[in-house]
Amino acid sequence: MLFGMGRVLLLRKVEECGSLKKAAESLGMSYRAAWGKLKHSEEALGCKLVEKQGSNRDGYRLTDEGRRITEGYEAWFQSVERHALEAARELLPWKVGAFGETPVGGYEETVEPSQCDVSKTA
């Protein structure tokens, strides 16, 4: 994978923790896996996403390019999700919510079989 939400989560954790090792642990992955994912993305993008903060003991931070790419991807993802939610609310017979959130009203609401006629939307 070139870049996706998993990379964004990893980069945000690096930024939060100041450490690739701590970021990887908090996401339930090995340091080696996290390092490999970052290196693969950096090679594919042709730029550094993280850099050392001084000595090896000082940890890592996002580069300016890493921050710009991360923020751009998040903005794009939110835009796509917003449009997808609008379409889902029009086309689907149940309540929908954004990634990672429970829809308003939860999942307790039932849908009557008559509400499930999707032939008019197909």
Side-chain angles (χ1 to χ4, degrees):
M1 167 170 283
L2 172 65
F3 201 85
M5 192 52 76
R7 298 301 197 275
V8 168
L9 293 173
L10 178 58
L11 290 169
R12 287 295 181 203
K13 282 293 182 180
V14 167
E15 189 171 47
E16 177 185 320
C17 300
S19 162
L20 183 58
K21 183 178 187 289
K22 289 178 184 174
E25 287 172 357
S26 74
L27 294 171
M29 69 173 67
S30 70
Y31 174 84
R32 181 182 172 121
W35 183 254
K37 290 175 187 305
L38 282 178
K39 288 295 142 195
H40 182 74
S41 289
E42 287 178 340
E43 288 172 12
L45 292 167
C47 65
K48 299 287 277 176
L49 299 172
V50 297
E51 62 188 1
K52 290 184 183 179
Q53 297 187 79
S55 73
N56 286 344
R57 295 177 93 46
D58 293 330
Y60 288 89
R61 66 176 175 218
L62 297 184
T63 62
D64 289 341
E65 191 70 6
R67 188 168 287 103
R68 186 184 69 74
I69 289 170
T70 300
E71 289 171 358
Y73 184 89
E74 288 173 320
W76 169 82
F77 184 89
Q78 289 169 359
S79 174
V80 169
E81 186 174 49
R82 189 172 41 256
H83 292 293
L85 286 170
E86 289 172 10
R89 288 180 181 129
E90 287 179 25
L91 299 171
L92 301 175
W94 56 82
K95 293 183 180 195
V96 297
F99 179 76
E101 74 179 33
T102 301
V104 175
Y107 296 101
E108 295 82 29
E109 186 174 310
T110 58
V111 178
E112 296 298 319
S114 62
Q115 293 176 303
C116 294
D117 181 12
V118 294
S119 61
K120 61 184 170 220
T121 61

